[in-house]
Amino acid sequence: MIEKSFVMIKPDAVKRRLIGEVISRFEKRGLKIVAAKMLDISQDLAKEHYSEHKEKPFFNDLVEYITSSAVLAMVIEGDECISLIRKMVGATNPKEADLGTIRGDFALDTGRNIIHASDSVQSAKREIALFFDKSEICPYQMPDEHLIYEG
Ligand code: IDP
Ligand code: MG
């Protein structure tokens, strides 16, 4: 089942010039980037995006972190890509993230874990709609799609 996931490269990774490293992992896996934009997240958007965490003790720090500087927001498409991207991202706490995952290879601290990815079909739909207008999502064919997918 082809899915779309919302993926965001957080301010720490943008500042550390890790955008290329991170995106290239998704591209090499065969996933398709169908939307991307740099933006400075507003307080309101940050609070809405992370609303499930609003009662958590780290909520204010999280909003401060995500609004501190530019992020790269993306929509990535591929077969069952929501769970696949979560596996590629690794555990929330980078110290517990497996080597070979993005957080396991590039991050050390839960509060600076460099990337966000949707955790379910429902949250992907919600997050994509929150960050992107439909007109900003650009479908296209990859000429090697038959080398990535059997069917
Ligand atoms: P996820 O990003 O792996 O889905 P969530 O539990 O949804 O993790 O938490 C959202 C974000 O909030 C994390 O990526 C991390 O930046 C931050 N966060 C989560 N737990 C903590 C914590 O205990 N301390 C500081 N920041 C946290
Ligand atoms: Mg989450």
Side-chain angles (χ1 to χ4, degrees):
M1 170 84 93
I2 298 295
E3 297 172 341
K4 286 184 178 66
S5 185
F6 175 70
V7 177
M8 181 166 67
I9 302 184
K10 294 178 176 180
D12 47 337
V14 172
K15 288 186 180 177
R16 290 173 57 199
R17 303 166 305 278
L18 291 174
I19 289 175
E21 290 269 7
V22 172
I23 288 183
S24 82
R25 290 181 175 219
F26 296 127
E27 288 193 316
K28 286 174 188 163
R29 193 75 194 260
L31 297 172
K32 191 190 288 187
I33 295 160
V34 293
K37 63 181 171 189
M38 298 292 303
L39 78 155
D40 286 304
I41 299 185
S42 68
Q43 292 280 321
D44 285 352
L45 180 56
K47 287 178 183 163
E48 184 63 38
H49 173 63
Y50 282 125
S51 55
E52 66 173 306
H53 298 302
K54 63 175 183 290
E55 309 299 339
K56 307 267 174 66
F58 59 81
F59 183 71
N60 287 343
D61 287 344
L62 175 58
V63 170
E64 194 179 325
Y65 161 46
I66 214 69
T67 59
S68 65
S69 185
V71 302
L72 179 70
M74 292 181 281
V75 179
I76 300 183
E77 188 180 274
D79 190 32
E80 294 186 26
C81 76
I82 296 170
S83 60
L84 182 79
I85 291 171
R86 289 287 293 191
K87 281 188 204 141
M88 293 176 74
V89 163
T92 304
N93 179 349
K95 289 193 184 73
E96 287 162 12
D98 290 335
L99 298 183
T101 65
I102 293 166
R103 286 169 175 164
D105 287 351
F106 298 122
L108 280 173
D109 198 310
T110 304
R112 296 287 182 271
N113 63 2
I114 81 167
I115 186 163
H116 166 87
S118 305
D119 63 7
S120 66
V121 172
Q122 201 181 354
S123 62
K125 282 208 166 72
R126 186 184 81 85
E127 292 168 359
I128 291 169
L130 203 52
F131 281 84
F132 287 95
D133 189 82
K134 274 205 173 70
S135 65
E136 294 177 298
I137 298 170
C138 308
Y140 58 92
Q141 290 289 315
M142 302 185 296
D144 60 353
E145 226 145 300
H146 65 292
L147 299 175
I148 292 162
Y149 295 115
E150 183 187 3

